[in-house]
Amino acid sequence: MPINYYIFTALALFSIGVIGVLTRRNAIIIFMCIELMLNAVNLLLVAFSKLHLADMGNAGAKVLNNGTDAQLFVFFIMVVAAAEVTVGLAIIVMMYRNTHSVDVNFLNRLKN
């Protein structure tokens, strides 16, 4: 499959994520949009890794890492995303218990 398909798909996912983060007020939907953006980056990492590995294989050069570099980055991004969701959902649950709302505009009131 050509690399252009991966790039367009990742660009569409990332754009949907950015639009969701900038326009929505629900904290849970904002988290979902952040996950979309992270998965778009993961898709690009794996696609470019596969492309790079294919180029190395066609050139006849000895491949040392078997394309595992991008997979390690993707795994690291998934771990960071899981930690972010854990902390974020804990904050949202506590906010909902106190205010019965998940509107992020309410967080501005916490300054006082």
Side-chain angles (χ1 to χ4, degrees):
M1 186 179 298
I3 192 74
N4 293 337
Y5 295 154
Y6 295 109
I7 293 172
F8 289 134
T9 304
L11 184 64
L13 284 174
F14 196 84
S15 299
I16 291 170
V18 167
I19 290 170
V21 166
L22 294 177
T23 60
R24 302 300 294 217
R25 293 183 179 173
N26 189 335
I28 294 174
I29 292 179
I30 290 173
F31 272 128
M32 290 172 38
C33 291
I34 290 172
E35 292 293 324
L36 272 179
M37 290 190 292
L38 291 174
N39 284 327
V41 171
N42 288 341
L43 178 65
L44 278 181
L45 280 172
V46 172
F48 282 124
S49 173
K50 182 181 174 187
L51 178 70
H52 178 70
L53 186 63
D55 287 342
M56 294 289 284
N58 290 338
K62 186 176 180 180
V63 178
L64 297 176
N65 59 4
N66 296 328
T68 56
D69 292 342
Q71 294 173 4
L72 288 174
F73 278 119
V74 168
F75 182 71
F76 181 72
I77 289 172
M78 290 174 73
V79 168
V80 170
E84 170 228 339
V85 167
T86 303
V87 173
L89 285 179
I91 292 171
I92 291 171
V93 167
M94 291 305 297
M95 186 175 82
Y96 183 76
R97 282 185 182 174
N98 292 329
T99 64
H100 298 288
S101 174
V102 290
D103 190 5
V104 291
N105 288 333
F106 181 77
L107 295 175
N108 288 333
R109 295 183 205 166
L110 297 177
K111 292 178 184 176
N112 299 329

